[in-house]
Amino acid sequence: MESLNNGSGFNEVELESFQRQIADRFQDLGSVSSDELLSLPWVRKLLDVFLSCEEEFRGILVNNKGRLMKPPLDRLIADFYERSVKSLDVCNAIRDGLDQIKQWQKLMEIVICALGHRNVNKNNTNKRILGEGQVRRARKALSELAVGLVDDKDSSQPLALRNRSFGRNNNSSNSQSKDQHRLGYFRSLSWNVSRSWSAAKQLQAIGSNLVSPRANEITATNGLAMLVFTMGSVLLFVMWALVAAIPCQDRGLQVHFYMSRQFPWAASILSLHDKIMEESLSELTGSVQFPISEEKERELRQRVQEMGQVYEAVTAGLEPLEKKVRELFHRIVHSRTEGLDCYGRGHNSE
């Protein structure tokens, strides 16, 4: 690559540093075990990585606002902000998915309460008492949970929701009320997606025409064209990974990532993409049989215990993830507004 340092404020060293940081961060995301991949803590970390990259990207644009109106950068910047607007609908769909997880969590709670109930008998030893009513409630909840998981799996090839991603329900009504108040200004951006909305099509729209800049474009923009392409690719991947991790409408994951491995960050992102695509499916409901005989009680106890562990894990994880998705939504809106403002000032200064 030719030297990009021509006294305009952005140089090759800054570009390489930005790309290397992205490579390192996504390599770290991909270094986790299969159990951690797509878990709630992992998704939060993914969003933290994106927010950090976006903040650096935004800072570079602000420092180079005098170049934003010059072709071909003006078109590339406009395309990036169009992708960012499209990503807001993915954030909306993810929020809907988190609400769906909360409903599944309620069903898990019913099963845990029904089948995990213990009484103390006359000999002061713990003994599980499973009455017909408890078994009936558990069976009904498991059936509804299984239907929900099957419906989600059918709309989310090749990945289904992993059992560790189930949600919590603490103070959900109060939280929803606060969210609606805080996001009142962005009502027009559709907090809830329509029934005809498709995650797969939205991802395709975000990635449409996202191609690496030509050599003359890199030279003409002093390397900023590569910066914009890099951030656009990060945006597309993060939205794709969110759709892979959280249930939403028509979440097909067959999105093409057009990135050459010669880019410092491409290998780590493509490796993480392949790891997610290869991740095996898991289902919660298993093969619990009713009515339950005494010899099956130990197996049932183990299953209920495992379900309880899932429940506790997501109790600690879902609310922070909801907050992080809201932060992502607001950041994208704010950054686009700030970017267009700089874009306008650059135009007026011409």
Side-chain angles (χ1 to χ4, degrees):
M1 182 184 295
E2 299 181 8
S3 175
L4 300 175
N5 190 357
N6 59 13
S8 61
F10 184 68
N11 55 55
E12 186 173 1
V13 174
E14 289 178 287
L15 175 61
E16 291 180 351
S17 175
F18 180 74
Q19 294 187 108
R20 177 50 55 192
Q21 289 184 54
I22 289 178
D24 292 343
R25 289 166 181 167
F26 279 91
Q27 184 175 9
D28 183 55
L29 284 170
S31 65
V32 301
S33 67
S34 60
D35 286 339
E36 295 176 275
L37 187 66
L38 300 182
S39 66
L40 297 180
W42 185 90
V43 174
R44 291 203 310 275
K45 186 175 181 180
L46 171 73
L47 297 187
D48 280 332
V49 165
F50 174 82
L51 292 170
S52 177
C53 294
E54 193 278 335
E55 184 176 1
E56 295 174 19
F57 171 75
R58 183 177 57 179
I60 293 173
L61 291 186
V62 170
N63 292 335
N64 291 269
K65 58 187 177 183
R67 304 183 61 89
L68 301 185
M69 275 298 296
K70 298 178 180 179
L73 192 57
D74 56 347
R75 171 181 55 82
L76 299 176
I77 289 290
D79 288 346
F80 173 79
Y81 285 130
E82 180 64 24
R83 298 182 207 284
S84 71
V85 169
K86 293 174 181 176
S87 70
L88 293 177
D89 272 348
V90 176
C91 294
N92 295 337
I94 295 303
R95 177 58 191 273
D96 288 345
L98 295 177
D99 286 341
Q100 178 62 56
I101 291 174
K102 289 180 180 180
Q103 299 304 312
W104 293 344
Q105 189 269 350
K106 291 180 181 179
L107 298 174
M108 291 179 63
E109 187 173 19
I110 292 174
V111 176
I112 293 170
C113 290
L115 301 183
H117 179 69
R118 292 177 182 269
N119 279 346
V120 178
N121 61 15
K122 295 181 180 180
N123 296 323
N124 294 321
T125 59
N126 286 336
K127 181 179 181 180
R128 184 182 304 276
I129 300 178
L130 294 179
E132 183 178 353
Q134 291 170 289
V135 173
R136 185 165 53 248
R137 286 194 300 273
R139 181 192 293 120
K140 184 176 185 295
L142 281 171
S143 297
E144 293 179 9
L145 181 59
V147 169
L149 290 174
V150 169
D151 287 345
D152 176 67
K153 184 172 68 173
D154 289 343
S155 66
S156 59
Q157 296 299 329
L159 288 177
L161 178 69
R162 301 177 64 83
N163 58 19
R164 58 180 173 274
S165 296
F166 286 154
R168 60 176 295 177
N169 191 45
N170 292 352
N171 301 320
S172 60
S173 60
N174 292 336
S175 176
Q176 184 176 7
S177 176
K178 292 179 182 178
D179 295 341
Q180 291 172 347
H181 175 73
R182 297 162 101 180
L183 293 173
Y185 176 75
F186 301 113
R187 273 286 171 209
S188 61
L189 295 176
S190 176
W191 188 242
N192 295 100
V193 296
S194 67
R195 291 181 179 275
S196 62
W197 186 84
S198 165
K201 292 180 180 178
Q202 196 72 8
L203 290 174
Q204 292 173 0
I206 294 173
S208 177
N209 297 320
L210 180 60
V211 295
S212 59
R214 296 185 291 270
N216 64 315
E217 292 177 324
I218 297 175
T219 301
T221 61
N222 201 43
L224 289 171
M226 181 58 69
L227 178 87
V228 175
F229 170 71
T230 300
M231 196 63 214
S233 299
V234 170
L235 174 67
L236 174 60
F237 178 81
V238 169
M239 294 299 115
W240 177 86
L242 279 176
V243 169
I246 306 297
C248 53
Q249 296 172 202
D250 187 28
R251 56 176 182 154
L253 301 179
Q254 300 302 326
V255 175
H256 295 289
F257 290 88
Y258 297 100
M259 55 185 72
S260 171
R261 290 186 178 270
Q262 69 179 358
F263 302 138
W265 44 269
S268 58
I269 289 183
L270 290 174
S271 175
L272 184 54
H273 168 269
D274 293 343
K275 188 172 183 179
I276 292 175
M277 290 295 290
E278 293 171 0
E279 184 67 3
S280 60
L281 307 181
S282 62
E283 297 183 8
L284 174 69
T285 54
S287 58
V288 178
Q289 301 294 322
F290 298 100
I292 303 167
S293 59
E294 291 184 3
E295 60 267 22
K296 293 290 185 179
E297 186 164 329
R298 179 175 299 179
E299 178 184 353
L300 173 61
R301 183 181 296 122
Q302 178 63 33
R303 289 182 179 273
V304 174
Q305 182 179 2
E306 291 172 357
M307 183 181 288
Q309 292 171 348
V310 171
Y311 182 96
E312 293 298 327
V314 300
T315 293
L318 186 61
E319 184 175 349
L321 179 56
E322 287 183 297
K323 292 179 179 179
K324 191 62 66 175
V325 171
R326 287 198 296 271
E327 181 182 355
L328 174 65
F329 184 94
H330 284 294
R331 173 70 69 82
I332 292 173
V333 171
H334 175 73
S335 297
R336 180 177 182 273
T337 301
E338 182 181 69
L340 293 179
D341 185 45
C342 290
Y343 187 89
R345 287 204 301 267
H347 175 71
N348 293 334
S349 65
E350 292 294 327

Coordinates of all heavy atoms in Angstrom, one line a residue, residues 95-96 99 172-187 191-192 326 330:
R95 N -34.4 -7.1 20.5 CA -35.2 -6.8 21.7 C -36.4 -7.7 21.8 O -36.8 -8.2 22.8 CB -35.5 -5.3 21.8 CG -36.4 -4.9 22.9 CD -35.7 -5.3 24.3 NE -36.6 -5.1 25.4 CZ -36.8 -4.0 26.0 NH1 -36.1 -2.9 25.7 NH2 -37.7 -3.9 27.0
D96 N -37.1 -7.8 20.6 CA -38.3 -8.7 20.6 C -37.9 -10.1 21.0 O -38.6 -10.8 21.7 CB -38.9 -8.6 19.2 CG -39.6 -7.3 18.9 OD1 -39.9 -6.6 19.9 OD2 -39.9 -7.1 17.7
D99 N -37.6 -10.5 24.6 CA -38.9 -10.6 25.2 C -39.4 -12.0 25.1 O -40.1 -12.6 26.0 CB -39.8 -9.6 24.6 CG -39.6 -8.2 25.0 OD1 -38.9 -8.0 26.1 OD2 -40.0 -7.3 24.4
S172 N -40.0 -7.3 34.7 CA -40.1 -7.1 33.2 C -41.0 -6.0 32.8 O -40.8 -5.2 31.9 CB -40.5 -8.4 32.5 OG -41.8 -8.8 33.0
S173 N -42.2 -5.8 33.6 CA -43.1 -4.8 33.2 C -42.6 -3.4 33.5 O -42.7 -2.5 32.7 CB -44.4 -5.0 34.0 OG -44.2 -5.0 35.4
N174 N -41.9 -3.3 34.7 CA -41.3 -2.0 35.0 C -40.2 -1.6 34.0 O -40.1 -0.5 33.6 CB -40.7 -2.0 36.4 CG -41.8 -2.1 37.5 OD1 -42.9 -1.7 37.2 ND2 -41.4 -2.6 38.6
S175 N -39.4 -2.6 33.6 CA -38.3 -2.4 32.7 C -38.8 -2.0 31.3 O -38.3 -1.1 30.7 CB -37.5 -3.7 32.5 OG -36.5 -3.5 31.6
Q176 N -39.9 -2.6 30.9 CA -40.5 -2.3 29.6 C -41.0 -0.9 29.6 O -40.9 -0.1 28.7 CB -41.6 -3.3 29.2 CG -42.2 -3.0 27.9 CD -43.2 -4.1 27.5 OE1 -43.6 -4.9 28.3 NE2 -43.7 -4.0 26.3
S177 N -41.7 -0.5 30.7 CA -42.2 0.9 30.8 C -41.1 1.9 30.7 O -41.2 2.9 30.1 CB -43.0 1.0 32.2 OG -43.4 2.4 32.3
K178 N -40.0 1.7 31.4 CA -38.8 2.6 31.4 C -38.3 2.7 30.0 O -37.9 3.7 29.5 CB -37.8 2.1 32.4 CG -38.2 2.3 33.9 CD -37.1 1.8 34.8 CE -37.5 1.9 36.2 NZ -36.5 1.4 37.1
D179 N -38.2 1.5 29.3 CA -37.6 1.5 28.0 C -38.5 2.3 27.1 O -37.9 3.1 26.2 CB -37.5 0.0 27.4 CG -36.6 -0.8 28.2 OD1 -35.7 -0.2 28.9 OD2 -36.7 -2.0 28.2
Q180 N -39.8 2.2 27.1 CA -40.7 2.9 26.3 C -40.5 4.4 26.5 O -40.6 5.2 25.6 CB -42.1 2.4 26.5 CG -42.4 1.0 26.0 CD -43.7 0.5 26.4 OE1 -44.4 1.1 27.2 NE2 -44.1 -0.6 25.8
H181 N -40.3 4.8 27.7 CA -40.2 6.2 28.0 C -38.9 6.8 27.5 O -38.9 7.8 26.9 CB -40.3 6.4 29.6 CG -40.0 7.9 30.0 ND1 -40.9 8.9 29.8 CD2 -38.9 8.4 30.5 CE1 -40.4 10.0 30.2 NE2 -39.2 9.8 30.7
R182 N -37.8 6.0 27.7 CA -36.5 6.5 27.3 C -36.4 6.5 25.8 O -35.6 7.3 25.2 CB -35.4 5.6 27.9 CG -35.4 5.7 29.4 CD -34.6 4.5 30.0 NE -33.3 4.8 30.4 CZ -32.4 4.0 30.9 NH1 -32.8 2.7 31.0 NH2 -31.2 4.3 31.2
L183 N -37.1 5.7 25.1 CA -37.0 5.6 23.6 C -38.1 6.2 22.9 O -38.3 6.0 21.7 CB -36.8 4.1 23.2 CG -35.6 3.4 23.7 CD1 -35.6 1.9 23.4 CD2 -34.4 4.0 23.0
G184 N -38.9 7.0 23.6 CA -40.0 7.7 23.0 C -39.7 8.5 21.8 O -40.4 8.5 20.8
Y185 N -38.5 9.1 21.8 CA -38.1 10.0 20.7 C -37.9 9.1 19.4 O -38.1 9.6 18.3 CB -36.8 10.7 21.0 CG -36.3 11.5 19.9 CD1 -36.9 12.7 19.5 CD2 -35.2 11.1 19.2 CE1 -36.4 13.4 18.4 CE2 -34.7 11.8 18.1 CZ -35.3 13.0 17.7 OH -34.8 13.7 16.7
F186 N -37.5 7.9 19.6 CA -37.2 7.0 18.5 C -38.3 6.1 18.0 O -38.1 5.1 17.4 CB -35.9 6.2 18.8 CG -34.7 7.0 19.2 CD1 -34.2 6.9 20.4 CD2 -34.1 7.8 18.2 CE1 -33.1 7.7 20.8 CE2 -33.0 8.6 18.5 CZ -32.5 8.5 19.8
R187 N -39.5 6.5 18.4 CA -40.7 5.7 18.0 C -40.7 5.4 16.5 O -41.1 4.4 16.0 CB -42.0 6.4 18.4 CG -42.5 6.1 19.8 CD -43.1 4.8 20.0 NE -43.2 4.7 21.5 CZ -43.2 3.6 22.2 NH1 -43.1 2.4 21.6 NH2 -43.3 3.6 23.4
W191 N -39.6 0.3 17.3 CA -39.0 -0.5 18.3 C -39.4 -2.0 18.1 O -38.7 -2.9 18.5 CB -39.4 0.0 19.7 CG -38.7 -0.7 20.8 CD1 -39.2 -1.4 21.8 CD2 -37.3 -0.7 21.0 NE1 -38.3 -1.9 22.6 CE2 -37.1 -1.5 22.2 CE3 -36.2 -0.2 20.4 CZ2 -35.8 -1.7 22.7 CZ3 -34.9 -0.5 20.9 CH2 -34.7 -1.2 22.0
N192 N -40.6 -2.2 17.6 CA -41.1 -3.5 17.3 C -41.2 -3.7 15.8 O -41.8 -2.9 15.1 CB -42.4 -3.8 18.0 CG -42.4 -3.8 19.5 OD1 -42.7 -2.8 20.1 ND2 -41.9 -4.8 20.1
R326 N -29.8 -1.7 24.2 CA -30.3 -0.4 24.2 C -29.1 0.6 24.0 O -29.3 1.6 23.2 CB -31.0 -0.1 25.5 CG -32.3 -0.7 25.7 CD -33.1 -0.1 26.8 NE -32.5 -0.2 28.1 CZ -32.8 -1.2 28.9 NH1 -33.6 -2.2 28.5 NH2 -32.2 -1.2 30.1
H330 N -28.9 3.3 20.8 CA -28.7 4.7 21.0 C -27.4 5.2 20.4 O -27.3 6.3 19.8 CB -28.7 5.1 22.5 CG -30.1 5.1 23.1 ND1 -31.0 6.0 22.8 CD2 -30.6 4.3 24.1 CE1 -32.1 5.8 23.5 NE2 -31.9 4.8 24.2

